[in-house]
Amino acid sequence: MLSPQASQIREMFSLIAPRYDLLNHLLSLNVDRRWRRQAASLLADPLQDRQALCLDLCCGTGDLLLEMVKRGCAPIVGSDFSHPMLKLGRQKLASRRLQRRVQLLEADALRLPFPANTFDGLAVAFGLRNLENWADGLEEMWRVLKPQGRVVVLEFSRPSHPVFNWLFQLYFQRVLPGIGKRVSGHGSAYRYLHDSVQEFPDQAQLCRLLTEAGFAEVSFRNLSGGIAALHWGVKNRRPAA
Ligand SMILES: C[S@@+](CC[C@H](N)C(=O)[O-])C[C@H]1O[C@@H](n2cnc3c(N)ncnc32)[C@H](O)[C@@H]1O
């Protein structure tokens, strides 16, 4: 059972699903495609291994999945709890004849229907921020990864230059919700985007959360001056409590 907050998030993404891709590319001037390519390339090793299994968590309409597919031959699973998002993802996969290589399934990221130690690589793009509890989300990722499996998190973050950060905040707070409202018809979703990014941990805090969840070799790289960041780590044994 989803909590009322998670149900609300699911409803919001389901409502904006038809215009989600268009708005992503429009609002980021297509830079989001490059970010996803960079995220997928961090999973190059498992993706190139036919025996490995990779997961795109909170896969939405599957744009990261498609980048992962391009990077190798490993079978891939995409999971998301929004049916309309997955429906669009299935259409994309079908139009590229990729249904055999990729399985999509409807699931809550906080209660994944996979046994422990299932995946060799796991990526989540713009998904972690939306979970009710980020630490619980990272714990669940840790659980389903095999030992030494790699996690990659792509998320909005904090631009490091103060002036750039100010300009970006202005755009994010004042311009983006207006465009989002016009194109999707759901202004509140794009106000939520701004608010959720404000609340989300910055680069250093997310490194700490990953480490606390039991990931080792945790590191990050800023993208586009820190508008977004890629974090990664490998599943290690949990540190003793
Ligand atoms: C901003 S979209 C990102 C989609 C995709 N990863 C991308 O890069 O475009 C966030 C996605 O996370 C999904 N999501 C949010 N909370 C979730 C949860 N608790 N379980 C599963 N999916 C969730 C939403 O349905 C939505 O498709």
Side-chain angles (χ1 to χ4, degrees):
M1 257 287 271
L2 287 179
S3 69
Q5 189 186 326
S7 301
Q8 235 179 347
I9 299 282
R10 181 170 64 175
E11 193 183 340
M12 180 190 75
F13 279 111
S14 298
L15 284 172
I16 63 168
R19 291 291 164 97
Y20 176 77
D21 284 346
L22 171 69
L23 270 164
N24 269 352
H25 307 325
L26 185 73
L27 294 168
S28 75
L29 305 174
N30 256 339
V31 174
D32 64 309
R33 294 184 198 268
R34 199 173 69 217
W35 292 346
R36 286 194 192 80
R37 277 201 294 276
Q38 288 176 293
S41 67
L42 287 174
L43 285 183
D45 286 349
L47 286 171
Q48 281 162 21
D49 180 354
R50 208 175 286 278
Q51 309 299 325
L53 185 61
C54 292
L55 175 65
D56 176 8
L57 188 68
C58 300
C59 65
T61 62
D63 276 0
L64 175 61
L65 257 170
L66 294 176
E67 290 301 333
M68 289 164 75
V69 164
K70 285 183 203 157
R71 264 157 194 84
C73 48
I76 304 170
V77 177
S79 76
D80 198 286
F81 69 178
S82 161
H83 188 75
M85 285 280 196
L86 287 174
K87 194 170 164 196
L88 289 163
R90 284 204 177 92
Q91 286 165 6
K92 279 188 200 170
L93 292 174
S95 68
R96 292 164 176 82
R97 299 180 190 281
L98 287 169
Q99 308 96 304
R100 280 175 171 226
R101 170 126 180 249
V102 182
Q103 299 272 337
L104 292 187
L105 80 112
E106 216 166 304
D108 179 4
L110 294 179
R111 272 168 291 270
L112 291 171
F114 310 114
N117 308 323
T118 300
F119 297 98
D120 299 87
L122 183 160
V124 56
F126 310 110
L128 177 62
R129 176 174 35 90
N130 300 295
L131 304 186
E132 217 170 323
N133 185 308
W134 308 312
D136 289 351
L138 290 172
E139 284 221 3
E140 186 63 345
M141 295 179 210
W142 189 94
R143 185 185 72 78
V144 298
L145 272 170
K146 291 180 186 166
Q148 296 306 312
R150 184 176 253 235
V151 67
V152 173
V153 180
L154 168 59
E155 256 307 343
F156 287 107
S157 202
R158 301 281 187 291
S160 37
H161 194 287
V163 177
F164 183 48
N165 188 28
W166 181 78
L167 285 171
F168 174 65
Q169 296 307 330
L170 204 67
Y171 168 71
F172 223 55
Q173 195 172 6
R174 300 280 161 83
V175 183
L176 184 142
I179 303 175
K181 184 176 178 181
R182 267 174 198 226
V183 180
S184 75
H186 301 282
S188 59
Y190 289 85
R191 280 196 303 279
Y192 161 82
L193 172 62
H194 170 267
D195 296 347
S196 63
V197 171
Q198 293 308 302
E199 284 166 20
F200 193 67
D202 67 15
Q203 291 87 333
Q205 288 164 338
L206 185 50
C207 282
R208 210 165 312 130
L209 279 182
L210 280 156
T211 307
E212 282 165 11
F215 291 102
E217 297 167 42
V218 170
S219 193
F220 77 94
R221 183 163 83 220
N222 279 338
L223 301 172
S224 306
I227 291 179
L230 275 169
H231 283 72
W232 60 89
V234 293
K235 175 170 173 173
N236 207 355
R237 237 185 281 138
R238 284 243 162 79

